[in-house]
Amino acid sequence: MPQFMDVHHGMKGITADQLKEAHEADLAVEKDEGVHFERAWADPDSGNVYCLSEAPSAEAVKRVHERTGHPADEIHQVPLSIW
Amino acid sequence: MPQFMDVHHGMKGITADQLKEAHEADLAVEKDEGVHFERAWADPDSGNVYCLSEAPSAEAVKRVHERTGHPADEIHQVPLSIW
């Protein structure tokens, strides 16, 4: 399944609880779209949040984030990865 | 140790081999700066590359990428993460 990195801007001051709450909201509806959000990282200073997911398409990722009230500003398929 | 997400722009058309080569170049010198690059993801279409690292500072991440010839365009400390 393709992997995606999506980015949210403007989340300055986000707390650990807010990140967890947003992630759990995504997990609660992701199956409807065949998406799985694997990890998320947040920088409260710049307000950037990065979410790594597996999904059938960027549109599916977009729909999950929209439904849970935090639309992504960028969604990039990342066919290349190293770990 | 703090975690960082850094972003490179302008890597359109990057291949799996080029990503691996760049990552291995970073791994070869990272210890000098106390950095460890854990993972990297690339989107050849947009040219964005994301690197996740553990490092003592953003400056240390910056120096490793500069030494290996692919300076980062953004470096964000990500004190919050979920997985």
Side-chain angles (χ1 to χ4, degrees):
Chain A
M1 182 117 80
Q3 277 200 310
F4 294 85
M5 183 73 81
D6 69 74
V7 189
H8 306 255
H9 301 299
M11 310 288 277
K12 277 192 188 184
I14 187 171
T15 66
D17 282 350
Q18 287 169 333
L19 180 64
K20 186 164 175 277
E21 199 175 311
H23 186 68
E24 284 173 358
D26 289 335
L27 294 184
V29 305
E30 66 180 14
K31 281 202 183 69
D32 297 352
E33 298 284 354
V35 175
H36 178 53
F37 284 98
E38 298 178 347
R39 294 187 61 173
W41 300 267
D43 172 12
D45 284 346
S46 70
N48 282 9
V49 176
Y50 301 89
C51 301
L52 182 71
S53 62
E54 285 194 342
S57 67
E59 279 300 313
V61 173
K62 183 171 183 273
R63 283 192 295 266
V64 173
H65 277 329
E66 281 176 354
R67 280 180 58 187
T68 53
H70 42 262
D73 296 293
E74 303 174 45
I75 302 176
H76 298 287
Q77 190 168 346
V78 284
L80 309 181
S81 64
I82 285 177
W83 71 93
Chain B
M1 182 118 75
Q3 277 200 311
F4 294 86
M5 183 73 82
D6 69 75
V7 189
H8 305 255
H9 301 299
M11 309 289 278
K12 277 194 187 179
I14 187 171
T15 65
D17 282 349
Q18 287 169 334
L19 180 64
K20 187 165 174 277
E21 200 175 311
H23 186 67
E24 285 173 358
D26 289 334
L27 294 184
V29 304
E30 66 180 16
K31 281 202 183 69
D32 296 352
E33 298 284 354
V35 175
H36 178 53
F37 285 97
E38 298 179 347
R39 294 186 61 172
W41 300 267
D43 172 11
D45 284 348
S46 70
N48 282 9
V49 176
Y50 301 89
C51 301
L52 181 71
S53 62
E54 284 192 343
S57 68
E59 279 300 310
V61 173
K62 182 170 183 274
R63 283 191 294 266
V64 173
H65 277 330
E66 280 176 353
R67 280 179 59 187
T68 53
H70 42 263
D73 295 294
E74 304 173 45
I75 302 176
H76 298 287
Q77 189 168 346
V78 284
L80 309 180
S81 64
I82 285 175
W83 69 97

